[in-house]
Amino acid sequence: MTERTTIERVELGKGGPVVGVQGLGCMGMSEFYGDTDEAAARATLDAALAAGVTLFDTADAYGYGANEEFLAPFVAAHRDEITLATKFALERRTDDPAYRGIRNDRAYVRRAVEDSLRRLGVDVIDLYYMHRRDPAVPFAESVGAMAELVREGKVRHLGLSEVTGAELREAYAVHPIAALQSEWSLFSRDVERSAVGAAAELGVAFVPYSPLGRGFLTGAFADAAADLSAADFRRYQPRFTGDNAKANAALLDPVREIAAAHGASPAQIALAWVQQRAAVHGLTVVPIPGTRKPERVAENTAATRITLTGPELALLEPIAGRVAGDRYPDMTFSSAAREE
């Protein structure tokens, strides 16, 4: 029997789009991870589509809109083949690169979607996420405004990012949510406290971002301050520098051990673990690892065909509880900060 070369497909939420069981995070093609080779990044998009990846993820905040503009030619060439996801709510200022604001109010939602439609060169966005939650704005206003966009034909399906289980239920009561996107990996499992269970209960698909721990789980770097360029934002994340990085690197030994047993890479084992959360928790899981290299697409998608055994999963189980350092320098806008 010939081995399947394209990934399986799943439905993204109740009545949502059918997509490849692994997507592609496009953020790093424009910002955050140092310099990008544009030709290689465009080749990566093509390689992903050829491998069966159909969910392509961006946001208006990535590169101050540049990532949406970067994707526009690819989207135009393959509009009927892909599911296009973008986000609003993270407000940035070009005159103050360190500034991060959260906007969920109705006026901002409506302005943001028009800007994204223009940059992407499309009439409708397949999946529109609230990137971060402002608890001061009721879901009746923010999700209500997003629902208006569905009725107007500007958006097909709604998503949320970094919300708790209680918040997901509250939002779902306003309008059905197709997908919840939050960080979920061998290093980051706080979403299992409430969000994963609520998503399973409601039939909401889970879209893990940073399923490779921003590359740390692959062994690509051991200490961000020493190994990465000054333009790489991982240098400022607590887990990846100094004593935290040293402690966390030691946690990768079982990942490497299992990878050797499968003839696989550590990245593939980390991704296989995330993919198998679908069976563990009874919900659809579509991780969106980011890469700018075509060869990494082949490696990542091959992980969908790896099944970890019970003993292997048991070896990996304790890792997240031993990780040193938070996901962000400021966890204020994360779902973990709002868990009761």
Side-chain angles (χ1 to χ4, degrees):
M1 179 182 290
T2 303
E3 183 179 358
R4 184 182 175 92
T5 57
T6 58
I7 59 177
E8 302 284 349
R9 294 195 170 201
V10 292
E11 186 177 55
L12 203 63
K14 293 179 180 176
V18 175
V19 300
V21 75
Q22 187 181 110
L24 180 67
C26 301
M27 179 183 79
M29 295 178 177
S30 297
E31 194 183 12
F32 299 110
Y33 293 128
D35 295 336
T36 294
D37 180 328
E38 183 173 334
R42 294 203 177 281
T44 300
L45 296 174
D46 293 334
L49 187 60
V53 172
T54 59
L55 177 63
F56 291 82
D57 183 271
T58 182
D60 60 2
Y62 300 161
Y64 302 92
N67 196 239
E68 291 181 326
E69 293 174 343
F70 169 80
L71 285 176
F74 175 76
V75 172
H78 302 286
R79 189 65 190 99
D80 295 336
E81 302 170 77
I82 69 171
T83 294
L84 177 62
T86 192
K87 314 176 195 73
F88 76 92
L90 184 56
E91 186 179 38
R92 302 180 65 190
R93 296 173 180 169
T94 55
D95 61 349
D96 183 3
Y99 176 80
R100 297 290 188 275
I102 306 297
R103 292 283 301 274
N104 290 175
D105 58 278
R106 182 179 182 277
Y108 188 84
V109 174
R110 298 197 65 85
R111 182 168 76 248
V113 77
E114 295 297 341
D115 288 344
S116 286
L117 288 167
R118 173 180 50 79
R119 285 189 292 260
L120 289 162
V122 297
D123 297 322
V124 59
I125 294 164
D126 299 317
L127 178 59
Y128 199 43
Y129 287 103
M130 178 192 294
H131 204 162
R132 291 293 186 272
R133 166 87 167 120
D134 178 1
V137 180
F139 278 122
E141 178 177 348
S142 52
V143 179
M146 296 168 73
E148 290 176 6
L149 304 180
V150 175
R151 291 192 290 271
E152 294 167 9
K154 296 178 180 179
V155 169
R156 291 195 172 101
H157 304 281
L158 303 185
L160 300 173
S161 180
E162 287 283 352
V163 299
T164 67
E167 290 171 335
L168 178 58
R169 290 187 180 91
E170 185 181 351
Y172 200 98
V174 177
H175 189 278
I177 304 298
L180 169 57
Q181 180 179 142
S182 291
E183 187 166 354
W184 198 9
S185 74
L186 281 169
F187 266 29
S188 300
R189 296 178 62 177
D190 50 83
V191 293
E192 294 174 24
R193 292 176 60 185
S194 71
V196 171
E201 173 190 319
L202 296 168
V204 175
F206 210 103
V207 178
Y209 72 79
S210 298
L212 294 173
R214 302 194 184 279
F216 194 84
L217 286 164
T218 73
F221 67 99
D223 186 310
D227 300 339
L228 303 178
S229 72
D232 198 306
F233 91 125
R234 290 172 291 185
R235 290 168 60 97
Y236 308 101
Q237 292 189 296
R239 292 182 172 175
F240 304 141
T241 58
D243 290 341
N244 285 348
K246 185 176 180 180
N248 292 336
L251 299 176
L252 300 181
D253 288 345
V255 181
R256 296 190 186 95
E257 177 185 335
I258 295 168
H262 282 267
S265 68
Q268 289 175 319
I269 298 307
L271 281 172
W273 180 90
V274 175
Q275 300 278 179
Q276 277 184 245
R277 298 302 91 192
V280 171
H281 294 280
L283 78 169
T284 297
V285 176
V286 181
I288 49 169
T291 185
R292 297 171 289 184
K293 298 178 179 179
E295 61 269 24
R296 293 293 181 228
V297 170
E299 179 182 350
N300 291 346
T301 54
T304 67
R305 296 183 282 276
I306 295 174
T307 300
L308 302 176
T309 67
E312 288 170 340
L313 293 172
L315 277 176
L316 300 173
E317 182 65 24
I319 291 177
R322 298 171 181 168
V323 171
D326 285 332
R327 294 195 277 128
Y328 295 102
D330 179 1
M331 291 286 286
T332 304
F333 297 127
S334 71
S335 58
R338 299 191 302 278
E339 287 282 6
E340 295 182 356

